[in-house]
Amino acid sequence: MKLLLAIIAIIAACLFTISKLHDDGTMILASMAEEYSVCTNVNACSDDDLAEMTNLLLEQDEYNSRMWLRVVLGWEQFRDDFRL
C-alpha cells in the first residue's frame, strides 16, 4: 500500500512539473511572439498567435517537436535560472 502511494505521489509530482514547465514555456513563447511582432502584447497573444510563433521556431530548426516545445522552453528557462 505504501509503495502504491509513493508511486502515485511520484506520478503526481511529474505531472505537476511538466504542467509548470508548459506554463512557463507558454509565457516565453508569448514573449518571443511579441518580439517577432506576431502579437502586440504578451497578454494579448491568442492561441493562433502562439501557433504561428511555434511554426516560426520549428521552421528555424531550433526545436523539433511541436508537442514538447513549451515544456522545452520552460526547462531551458529553469536551467538558465539555476545554472544547471
Side-chain angles (χ1 to χ4, degrees):
M1 185 65 174
K2 288 182 182 181
L3 179 62
L4 179 62
L5 290 175
I7 291 171
I8 291 171
I10 290 169
I11 291 171
C14 289
L15 291 175
F16 174 78
T17 301
I18 290 171
S19 174
K20 174 75 171 113
L21 291 174
H22 183 273
D23 291 345
D24 292 348
T26 300
M27 288 306 299
I28 293 165
L29 191 61
S31 297
M32 294 170 81
E34 183 182 23
E35 288 178 24
Y36 279 71
S37 300
V38 173
C39 62
T40 57
N41 185 333
V42 171
N43 296 324
C45 286
S46 67
D47 288 335
D48 291 336
D49 294 335
L50 295 177
E52 184 178 341
M53 188 65 218
T54 299
N55 290 336
L56 288 171
L57 289 174
L58 292 174
E59 286 172 8
Q60 294 174 2
D61 291 330
E62 287 188 43
Y63 303 96
N64 59 6
S65 172
R66 174 181 305 280
M67 186 170 149
W68 288 101
L69 176 66
R70 295 180 190 185
V71 174
V72 170
L73 289 172
W75 171 252
E76 288 176 352
Q77 180 65 42
F78 174 81
R79 188 185 64 208
D80 290 345
D81 287 348
F82 293 99
R83 292 177 178 56
L84 295 179

